[in-house]
Amino acid sequence: MLGARFTLLDRIEHDIPGIERFDAHDQRLDRPVVVDLVHSASAAAVRQQATRASRLRDPRLARIVATGREAIDGVEVTYVAVEQVPGAVLDHVLATHRLDSRRAIAVVGGAARALAAARGEGLSHGYLRPAAVTVTERGRVVVSGVGIDGEAASQAQLVPTPSEAGDARALALMLVHALTGIVPVEATPDDLPDGIPGSARTLAVDALRGSAPASLGAVVDALSPFDARALVGFTDAVATFPPTPAVARATAARAARDAEEAERARLERLEASRALIAAETLAAAVHEADEAVAEQVADPELRATMRKAEEFRHERAAVTEQMPVVAGVEGDLDGELEVALDAAPVPVAAADPEEAPADKYEANFDTLEIMVASQNVTRDQGTWELVLEAWHRRWPRSATVARSLARARARAEFGGPLNGGRVVMVAGVLAVAVAIALALVWLQAPLSPDIIIEPDPSIIPNPGVTETSTPVPSPNS
């Protein structure tokens, strides 16, 4: 415990050599504070500046609670206790985000006014940086390290002797950093965003060119008037601020890598699934997907016409491929056609062009098959087929109608000279039946009374004598 009131807790990273910074608790006031332990040879000068700064009573400056010397493990150290300001430290914010022009001007303008108040008491900061600026939840800008950081940094030869001109230049460069999200040594005037008021842009450009104003008043005038209300709720809104260019590039690169990784994983899954699916199944799935896309973008009438033409083309192709096999089948043509249409296409080996036919009859039969195939390539729909198609449209789920339509189409496809046997047989049977019916009708019809039928002379015993019948009297007469 330092000074019988400060309990050191956790070490905090600090950017000034010779100073250790700790989170601490003030036992007397029962509140958190920040304690700096000064180990450098300039400890006396730092303590002197801290004593002067402790007299400042401006709410925009972090108040120095106490300063003194304490022996720790037999070594005399100088400590400075400063109030701990809750809020968002500008250094942490600018590590990942940049500020819009309204907020950036309000933050830097508030810091300029705080340092102007300290300069009125003859003090300069000397080592102003984003780590020394905190924005509270209510939007108050608080600057810490006045009189302490500058003296210690100067003794460590990090900066020149603290001065007002140095503070003014540091404020202008802080404005550049807040607006661009880029450290000032790497920024250029082209990195400044649009929409910045003219005087603030001029201040930032002059700072980048090495001609920043020499007084805090000039910085305040360049940034005034600014709206301090833009900083209300600053700590909660940090996550919504635009990212710095470095963070944006890293995020885009990470997103690109993630997308590439996801695409590679997708392709691997696709290849694995293709290895498990037969080529025919995959082709059918691709065809169905293409049809689904086409149905979404195509005109309904055109889509129906094209679908009907496609179905007809496939049916014709299937029947044409199976024609050499079906043409030689004897028996029930309808049953054989159904079997042929349902079965897989049977490949027919092509004949050797140099192989001569076995005899002239085989050559004639081949020629006849070619004629039949040519005849059946194109055809007109018959009456029965048109009737069945109309029924099929009316009752599309009827298996009987569909089967009859398939048979009718098969008969029409094989309508050449080799398929007329059943028609001739039926016609002959009908002709015989009609003839028999006519004969029976003629035999059963009665003779006309005008027709005289004379008896055959050969059945009369004596044609020259006419027999006379005399009635015999009755015995009772």
Side-chain angles (χ1 to χ4, degrees), residues 59-348:
R60 295 167 294 186
L61 298 172
R63 189 168 70 88
I64 297 178
V65 178
T67 182
R69 292 178 61 84
E70 187 82 12
I72 300 178
D73 297 333
V75 179
E76 289 286 335
V77 296
T78 299
Y79 67 89
V80 178
V82 184
E83 70 169 329
Q84 191 175 79
V85 181
V89 181
L90 187 60
D91 183 37
H92 299 164
V93 175
L94 296 183
T96 55
H97 298 82
R98 62 181 180 86
L99 307 183
D100 59 89
S101 59
R102 187 162 169 250
R103 288 190 175 98
I105 293 174
V107 170
V108 177
R113 289 183 176 178
L115 292 179
R119 189 58 191 172
E121 299 295 333
L123 293 173
S124 297
H125 193 287
Y127 192 41
L128 183 64
R129 60 209 186 281
V133 178
T134 302
V135 181
T136 67
E137 177 64 26
R138 294 186 177 183
R140 179 164 55 95
V141 179
V142 180
V143 179
S144 61
V146 175
I148 304 172
D149 292 354
E151 186 65 31
S154 176
Q155 295 294 334
Q157 298 182 353
L158 296 180
V159 293
T161 303
S163 63
E164 181 180 5
D167 289 348
R169 182 175 182 275
L171 286 169
L173 294 177
M174 188 185 298
L175 177 65
V176 173
H177 193 179
L179 289 171
T180 63
I182 305 173
V183 293
V185 294
E186 299 177 0
T188 64
D190 294 335
D191 294 324
L192 294 172
D194 297 332
I196 305 175
S199 58
R201 177 178 290 276
T202 300
L203 176 64
V205 172
D206 290 344
L208 291 173
R209 293 175 178 174
S211 58
S215 66
L216 295 173
V219 175
V220 173
D221 293 341
L223 299 179
S224 297
F226 56 85
D227 188 6
R229 294 173 300 177
L231 301 180
V232 176
F234 184 90
T235 56
D236 294 334
V238 170
T240 64
F241 296 166
T244 63
V247 172
R249 289 192 298 269
T251 302
R254 183 168 58 254
R257 287 194 303 269
D258 294 344
E260 183 179 355
E261 194 69 26
E263 180 65 15
R264 182 164 54 251
R266 187 188 69 83
L267 292 178
E268 290 177 356
R269 291 193 301 269
L270 182 61
E271 290 299 329
S273 62
R274 284 178 175 175
L276 301 176
I277 301 176
E280 296 80 1
T281 304
L282 183 61
V286 172
H287 183 70
E288 290 180 1
D290 293 341
E291 285 185 346
V293 174
E295 287 183 358
Q296 293 178 358
V297 300
D299 180 73
E301 296 182 359
L302 178 61
R303 183 168 64 247
T305 303
M306 294 299 294
R307 185 186 298 108
K308 185 176 181 180
E310 184 71 12
E311 292 176 355
F312 180 75
R313 185 179 66 82
H314 283 298
E315 292 175 0
R316 175 181 294 174
V319 173
T320 304
E321 289 180 0
Q322 301 173 44
M323 182 176 60
V325 178
V326 178
V329 176
E330 297 181 0
D332 185 5
L333 182 59
D334 291 344
E336 295 297 328
L337 279 177
E338 286 186 357
V339 173
L341 289 174
D342 293 337
V346 179
V348 180

Side-chain angles (χ1 to χ4, degrees), residues 347-425:
V348 180
D352 188 352
E354 297 181 358
E355 182 181 356
D359 51 36
K360 63 179 181 179
Y361 299 106
E362 181 180 351
N364 292 335
F365 185 76
D366 293 341
T367 303
L368 182 59
E369 283 189 342
I370 295 174
M371 293 173 59
V372 173
S374 301
Q375 174 183 342
N376 292 333
V377 168
T378 57
R379 65 178 180 84
D380 294 331
Q381 289 180 306
T383 304
W384 180 240
E385 186 176 356
L386 292 175
V387 171
L388 288 175
E389 284 189 353
W391 288 356
H392 185 59
R393 286 193 298 270
R394 179 62 180 83
W395 298 287
R397 297 184 178 179
S398 174
T400 303
V401 175
R403 185 165 54 253
S404 300
L405 178 59
R407 291 178 179 176
R409 288 176 176 173
R411 292 193 192 96
E413 291 291 346
F414 295 98
L418 295 181
N419 298 324
R422 293 190 64 184
V423 176
V424 174
M425 180 180 68

